[in-house]
Structures are given as structure tokens and as C-alpha cells.
Amino acid sequence: MTFTSKMRAIWSRTDSMLCVGLDPAPAKFPAALADGPDRIARFCIAIADATAPYACAFKPQIAYFAAERAEDQLEAVCAHIRRA
């Protein structure tokens, strides 16, 4: 399946062209997600799960992950989104 055919299928399923940016800024996290070594992944996965029915794509901003030295959490977020 090509990228274009995948996108068309998602557009049809969601009736949306919304792309959700994942730009984690831990200082702004809600209290429930503010602590823990995996807080960035948990925050982004929660956002992805909440918006998945309305979104056709997700765009993690690597600079935010890199600033927190959380590249491994970026991989976890991407893997979660691919499985969904």
C-alpha cells in the first residue's frame, strides 16, 4: 500500500485532514503526567489516543524530545501510533 493510498483510507475513515503536532513541554504537563522517567511518552501517547478518531496524521517534533534527551521516548510514541 502506498503512502497516498494509506492517507486516502485514513481521510475516508476519519473524515478529517487534521495533523496533530506532538510538541511535549514537560513544564506545562498536567500534574498526573508531570513525573516519572517516561512522562514525555505517556503525555504524547495520551494526546495521540485522545485525538486518534479525529486525526489523519501525527507529527512528533523531534527538537522537543531532543531538548529533554528523550529520543527513546520518541521511538516509543512512534511505535504506539503505528500500532493504533
Side-chain angles (χ1 to χ4, degrees), residues 16-51:
S16 171
M17 290 188 177
L18 173 67
C19 177
V20 176
L22 298 172
D23 308 331
K28 298 179 182 179
F29 285 3
L33 298 171
D35 293 323
D38 63 342
R39 69 185 189 271
I40 293 172
R42 288 185 295 119
F43 175 79
C44 290
I45 287 169
I47 296 296
D49 288 348
T51 59

Side-chain angles (χ1 to χ4, degrees), residues 49-80:
D49 288 348
T51 59
Y54 316 104
C56 69
F58 294 90
K59 184 196 173 292
Q61 179 54 266
I62 192 168
Y64 282 81
F65 289 85
E68 298 291 328
R69 299 190 188 282
E71 291 89 343
D72 59 330
Q73 293 184 60
L74 171 61
E75 291 297 323
V77 170
C78 291
H80 178 83

